[in-house]
């Protein structure tokens, strides 16, 4: 708790002006003869990076729909040992994902993932982060908690941008609506990083059979959290040409 308090003091002391301011997974060519399969926004033809997936149940839902996970990389900030301790189905979910061909990577920080020795060599069609959250260090609506979550969002988007395919790549962030989540500045931060929101759609857990959203932090890591109203925000690279004044 002392570490968290120190981080909070650091946040409060910062200026508000910052607000303004050869290994590879299987490519699409390998699956050209296979029929394309979809689960909502996601296709078996997409090269996918799934970030911070808790017990990996969202990744597994997609893998089961596609019949294979050779097009997927799933990451977690946890160690392999922590997955076993935190989630009742974590180990079995990982085992099935790997059997289906998914590459599972541990100890991947979403704020630094573009520097990961493997990920930095890859470019993805879809990068997905459902319900990003730093953990329940303070009250959900407190200044410090909001600032830490804003930093997570900014770091993730900055790194995801580097790993995105330039032509049709999309970054998807599923996010709770209303207060205090609307104070995270998701869309504004994306725009400052050089991304543009091209779509926003309501999110329903029931569209992803088997997906169990988890708190992922503390003694209740394996427990679900109430979703309420939430949406998937879709971002693309802002490739609009800059206007020049003659």
């Amino acid at each position: 708790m002392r570490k968290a308090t120190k981080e909070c003091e650091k946040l409060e002391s910062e200026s508000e002006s910052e607000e303004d301011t050869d290994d590879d997974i299987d490519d699409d060519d390998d699956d050209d003869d296979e029929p394309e399969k979809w689960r909502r926004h996601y296709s078996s033809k997409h090269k996918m990076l799934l970030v911070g997936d808790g017990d990996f149940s969202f990744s597994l839902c997609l893998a089961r729909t596609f019949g294979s996970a050779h097009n997927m990389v799933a990451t977690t900030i946890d160690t392999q040992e922590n997955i076993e301790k935190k989630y009742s189905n974590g180990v079995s979910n990982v085992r099935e994902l790997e059997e289906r061909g998914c590459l599972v990577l541990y100890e991947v920080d979403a704020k630094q993932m573009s520097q990961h020795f493997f990920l930095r060599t890859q470019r993805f069609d879809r990068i997905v982060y459902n319900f990003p959250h730093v953990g329940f260090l303070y009250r959900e609506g407190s200044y410090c908690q909001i600032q830490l979550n804003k930093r997570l969002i900014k770091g993730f988007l900055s790194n995801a941008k580097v790993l995105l395919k330039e032509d049709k790549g999309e970054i998807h962030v599923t996010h709770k609506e209303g207060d205090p989540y609307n104070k995270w500045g998701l869309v504004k931060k994306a725009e400052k990083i050089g991304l543009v929101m091209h779509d926003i759609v309501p999110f329903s857990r029931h569209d992803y059979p088997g997906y169990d959203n988890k708190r992922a932090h503390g003694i209740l890591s394996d427990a679900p959290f109430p979703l309420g109203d939430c949406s998937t925000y879709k971002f693309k690279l802002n490739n609009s040409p800059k206007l020049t004044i003659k």
Side-chain angles (χ1 to χ4, degrees):
M1 189 63 189
R2 182 177 299 175
K3 180 178 179 182
T5 302
K6 188 174 181 180
E7 180 70 15
C8 182
E9 292 173 352
K10 180 180 178 183
L11 288 166
E12 290 175 332
S13 67
E14 292 178 347
S15 171
E16 294 182 0
S17 63
E18 181 182 354
E19 278 301 299
D20 303 324
T21 58
D22 302 334
D23 290 329
D24 201 351
I25 61 174
D26 292 348
D27 288 325
D28 295 345
D29 293 342
D30 298 330
D31 299 318
D32 282 344
D33 295 333
E34 295 294 325
E36 186 172 20
K37 298 178 182 178
W38 286 84
R39 171 64 62 183
R40 291 290 285 148
H41 327 288
Y42 309 114
S43 162
S44 57
K45 299 296 185 181
H46 289 150
K47 185 174 178 180
M48 298 186 62
L49 173 62
L50 298 116
V51 179
D53 190 19
D55 68 349
F56 294 96
S57 57
F58 186 83
S59 301
L60 186 55
C61 167
L62 298 182
R64 287 172 174 171
T65 297
F66 301 156
S68 168
H70 289 283
N71 61 320
M72 296 165 54
V73 177
T75 73
T76 178
I77 197 170
D78 288 314
T79 63
Q80 192 168 0
E81 291 74 20
N82 282 342
I83 292 295
E84 183 175 5
K85 293 176 182 178
K86 291 170 65 172
Y87 305 113
S88 56
N89 294 324
V91 173
S92 60
N93 288 348
V94 169
R95 184 180 300 115
E96 183 174 345
L97 274 173
E98 292 180 332
E99 288 173 351
R100 291 178 178 271
C102 181
L103 176 61
V104 177
L105 299 176
Y106 300 94
E107 299 181 77
V108 177
D109 187 340
K111 303 189 301 298
Q112 301 176 12
M113 62 186 184
S114 65
Q115 302 303 311
H116 185 275
F117 73 94
F118 174 76
L119 294 178
R120 67 186 182 189
T121 68
Q122 308 298 307
R123 295 297 179 267
F124 296 91
D125 298 297
R126 298 290 183 271
I127 300 177
V128 183
Y129 198 172
N130 290 329
F131 305 106
H133 201 285
V134 296
F136 302 94
L137 302 176
Y138 306 97
R139 289 183 299 102
E140 190 74 318
S142 70
Y143 173 83
C144 292
Q145 186 71 50
I146 291 171
Q147 290 301 114
L148 290 171
N149 281 317
K150 288 169 76 171
R151 284 189 170 188
L152 172 61
I153 287 290
K154 181 179 179 180
F156 163 71
L157 291 174
S158 297
N159 280 262
K161 177 185 175 183
V162 176
L163 301 176
L164 197 63
K165 287 186 178 180
E166 291 188 4
D167 48 358
K168 297 182 180 179
E170 296 182 6
I171 298 168
H172 291 187
V173 179
T174 298
H175 187 50
K176 295 183 73 171
E177 302 287 5
D179 186 72
Y181 309 101
N182 53 8
K183 296 177 181 176
W184 294 15
L186 172 61
V187 176
K188 185 177 179 181
K189 289 193 178 301
E191 291 174 348
K192 290 180 179 179
I193 289 167
L195 300 167
V196 59
M197 187 184 76
H198 77 96
D199 197 11
I200 175 173
V201 294
F203 176 88
S204 173
R205 185 174 62 84
H206 302 294
D207 290 334
Y208 302 95
Y211 171 47
D212 294 316
N213 56 298
K214 301 292 187 180
R215 289 177 62 89
H217 305 281
I219 60 175
L220 297 177
S221 294
D222 202 31
F225 58 88
L227 292 181
D229 292 332
C230 44
S231 304
T232 298
Y233 290 74
K234 301 180 182 181
F235 300 99
K236 289 184 176 181
L237 295 174
N238 187 356
N239 294 321
S240 301
K242 295 183 179 179
L243 295 177
T244 57
I245 301 176
K246 296 182 179 180

